Amino acid sequence: MARRRKLYEGKAKILYEGPKPGTLIQYFKDDATAFNAQKKGSISGKGVLNNLISERIFTGLETIGIPTHFIKRENMREQLIKKVEIIPLEVIVRNVVAGSMAKRLGIDEGMVLDRSIVELSYKNDDLGDPLVAPEHALSLGWVTEEELDQITGMALRVNDFMCGLFYGVGILLVDFKLEFGRYIDGDGEEVIILADEISPDTCRLWDLKTMEKLDKDRFRRDLGRVEEAYQEIARRLGVLPKGGLEVVK
Ligand code: UDP
């Protein structure tokens, strides 16, 4: 069978032309990279699990009125999504100090923040996604002031929703990354919607009782039991396929 036209291949996903104008198919791969692609590998079954986990979170967000690119899951590795113009910002929300923030400021991982932080990075692999101030994003014309207000407000609402979702299944949401895009809605209005994915690739998720890491840090830091961590998140969210992953990988 002839494949659809491939439009873009990233580190963890492939985008194909969708069945209708304004749509795309987002395909989730098992490939994993870290440290700006200096470390490469594969996490068996990750694509399937991230597809299911991201579907769970995006559909939940839609129910609380956050517009997203998600239309429907097509199969175990693919979703039908709305085509957007991606805003070149990685929007990072932090509840607990970890990763690059811990390193940059010399603070131990694990300090709970008094208030959540929304951080912006310029989405540019060649530059290693550098941290930028909101003023950079505005002055360089990447977003308007109104768009930035919307993005920040949405990011905090996503955080509230996800903190509760994960707390309910015994997981601490440490931090995560979001991407947003511009989309022309049914009324011909340009709106900002949530795009990309939300999964253990893009979040830090710690078990509340043991503080065990259940996310991509297991791959980045060679902690072992990487596949198991992704499966555990899917299992707790109630989206692990019945009969196990072997049938669908
Ligand atoms: N993150 C991501 N993609 C990136 C950079 C970060 O999904 O290109 C996620 C990462 O998994 C973590 C959060 O954003 O949940 C904050 O990442 P951080 O800035 O600490 O960078 P890292 O330590 O991952 O390099």
Side-chain angles (χ1 to χ4, degrees):
M1 192 183 89
R3 280 295 320 195
R4 291 151 295 207
R5 198 155 66 93
K6 191 195 280 190
L7 300 178
Y8 171 80
E9 178 153 6
K11 287 171 273 187
K13 296 187 292 296
I14 304 173
L15 293 176
Y16 294 100
E17 210 168 52
K20 285 193 196 139
T23 66
L24 298 175
I25 296 286
Q26 174 165 255
Y27 176 96
F28 288 77
K29 301 193 281 184
D30 285 350
D31 298 355
T33 62
F35 311 119
N36 206 14
Q38 286 172 46
K39 179 181 166 95
K40 289 196 177 103
S42 173
I43 302 171
S44 177
K46 171 172 83 80
V48 171
L49 296 170
N50 282 1
N51 185 19
L52 297 168
I53 293 166
S54 203
E55 174 192 23
R56 170 75 185 82
I57 297 173
F58 275 66
T59 51
L61 289 169
E62 289 275 357
T63 66
I64 63 153
I66 305 275
T68 81
H69 73 165
F70 182 83
I71 302 172
K72 72 188 263 276
R73 184 165 61 79
E74 291 288 337
N75 55 48
M76 282 295 174
R77 285 197 183 262
E78 296 179 327
Q79 315 185 332
L80 179 66
I81 58 169
K82 294 171 182 165
K83 186 176 183 173
V84 299
E85 179 200 347
I86 286 283
I87 291 168
L89 288 173
E90 302 213 326
V91 179
I92 289 166
V93 183
R94 300 183 185 276
N95 300 305
V96 177
V97 176
S100 69
M101 180 179 178
K103 210 165 167 194
R104 196 173 341 106
L105 302 180
I107 305 171
D108 285 344
E109 286 200 323
M111 189 185 128
V112 178
L113 295 162
D114 287 344
R115 46 183 282 184
S116 304
I117 296 174
V118 179
E119 233 175 49
L120 304 177
S121 292
Y122 175 39
K123 199 171 139 59
N124 184 315
D125 283 338
D126 294 340
L127 300 175
D129 301 336
L131 181 70
V132 294
E135 287 75 11
H136 289 100
L138 292 168
S139 300
L140 294 168
W142 299 334
V143 278
T144 65
E145 217 163 321
E146 195 192 342
E147 286 175 336
L148 191 56
D149 282 350
Q150 280 179 31
I151 286 171
T152 309
M154 273 199 254
L156 289 169
R157 287 191 66 204
V158 171
N159 186 45
D160 285 345
F161 173 84
M162 282 180 41
C163 277
L165 178 71
F166 282 112
Y167 183 80
V169 295
I171 287 168
L172 176 66
L173 177 63
V174 172
D175 58 27
F176 59 95
K177 186 253 317 184
L178 300 175
E179 294 187 25
F180 293 88
R182 297 187 186 92
Y183 177 73
I184 309 290
D185 71 8
D187 304 328
E189 296 264 319
E190 191 176 87
V191 289
I192 302 279
I193 67 176
L194 185 66
D196 195 50
E197 69 172 296
I198 302 179
S199 71
D201 269 9
T202 64
C203 302
R204 285 197 168 91
L205 304 165
W206 297 354
D207 181 88
L208 263 171
K209 279 205 199 108
T210 64
M211 291 291 143
E212 187 189 11
K213 297 182 194 332
L214 296 172
D215 56 59
K216 197 173 151 190
D217 271 349
R218 300 204 73 83
F219 169 77
R220 292 188 189 100
R221 302 179 189 188
D222 296 317
L223 298 176
R225 298 175 53 81
V226 185
E227 281 89 0
E228 288 83 348
Y230 282 72
Q231 284 182 36
E232 180 62 14
I233 296 297
R235 191 186 65 75
R236 291 208 204 175
L237 291 176
V239 298
L240 190 65
K242 290 199 183 60
L245 262 190
E246 290 310 317
V247 267
V248 293
K249 262 188 210 167

